[in-house]
Amino acid sequence: MRIPGLFCLLFASAIFVSCKKDQSAKDTKDAKVKADIVVNTECYKALYDSDTIDLKLNTLESGKISGDMVMKLNQMPNKIGEIYGDFHGDTLMVSYTFIDQGNDKITYKNPMAFLKKDSLLILGNGKMETTMGATYFVKGEPIDFENVKYKFSKVDCEDK
């Protein structure tokens, strides 16, 4: 008689723990959804020779930045992707995940740094290194925001 009672107790404990895990996962998901609410959207455009870069920045309730960027560079396939990152003072540090238009089988990921100066965003140049397939700015090396090609001006966002 003891074994069926022990079995029932074990079974009830397993159900209780399972229910608790589901509630915890739901709470985590709810917190993430709340943190991903867009509170502000700004659009920028950079022109250099025949190159054009369109950038849409969404400020999230969590303080993070997300958005879309399309790079149309002369004699190169368009780079279409998303950015995600945050501000460190007046510098926006993001990861740009993109594909080359026409080849959606390979996804690339590069770090980018933008300096916010008045109503401009300036795309910086910095020394990068790749470790285990991931590219990073070299720690301790300055990012140059003076000798740059791309300075983004604020533009009206287009609804698509």
Side-chain angles (χ1 to χ4, degrees):
M1 283 289 191
R2 273 188 150 194
I3 292 177
L6 186 60
F7 178 72
C8 288
L9 182 63
L10 184 61
F11 183 70
S13 297
I15 289 174
F16 177 73
V17 169
S18 176
C19 291
K20 190 70 172 166
K21 283 185 183 176
D22 289 344
Q23 182 63 34
S24 176
K26 185 176 185 258
D27 291 345
T28 304
K29 184 179 179 184
D30 289 345
K32 184 176 180 186
V33 167
K34 184 178 183 208
D36 288 344
I37 294 172
V38 176
V39 294
N40 187 33
T41 300
E42 296 177 326
C43 295
Y44 294 86
K45 183 180 285 276
L47 302 170
Y48 181 81
D49 290 339
S50 59
D51 298 346
T52 304
I53 304 176
D54 292 306
L55 176 62
K56 180 178 181 180
L57 295 180
N58 299 311
T59 303
L60 305 177
E61 194 171 70
S62 65
K64 296 283 188 183
I65 303 294
S66 70
D68 302 306
M69 188 161 66
V70 177
M71 301 177 78
K72 299 173 184 173
L73 307 178
N74 189 28
Q75 298 180 357
M76 293 183 72
N78 292 347
K79 297 176 184 339
I80 303 166
E82 299 175 346
I83 63 164
Y84 188 79
D86 54 3
F87 274 99
H88 299 271
D90 58 358
T91 305
L92 175 60
M93 303 296 290
V94 298
S95 178
Y96 180 43
T97 305
F98 64 96
I99 59 167
D100 284 335
Q101 189 174 22
N103 182 10
D104 59 357
K105 297 192 186 321
I106 300 173
T107 302
Y108 302 94
K109 191 172 189 174
N110 285 333
M112 298 181 107
F114 297 89
L115 178 65
K116 186 161 181 114
K117 196 171 190 180
D118 300 322
S119 65
L120 293 177
L121 281 178
I122 302 167
L123 178 60
N125 298 316
K127 189 173 182 182
M128 293 189 202
E129 65 184 6
T130 302
T131 305
M132 296 180 66
T135 304
Y136 302 94
F137 284 110
V138 175
K139 202 169 205 162
E141 291 286 327
I143 297 173
D144 179 18
F145 293 104
E146 297 295 323
N147 303 311
V148 297
K149 288 183 182 179
Y150 303 111
K151 293 184 179 182
F152 292 78
S153 300
K154 208 178 252 193
V155 296
D156 291 333
C157 294
E158 297 176 12
D159 293 328
K160 292 185 178 179

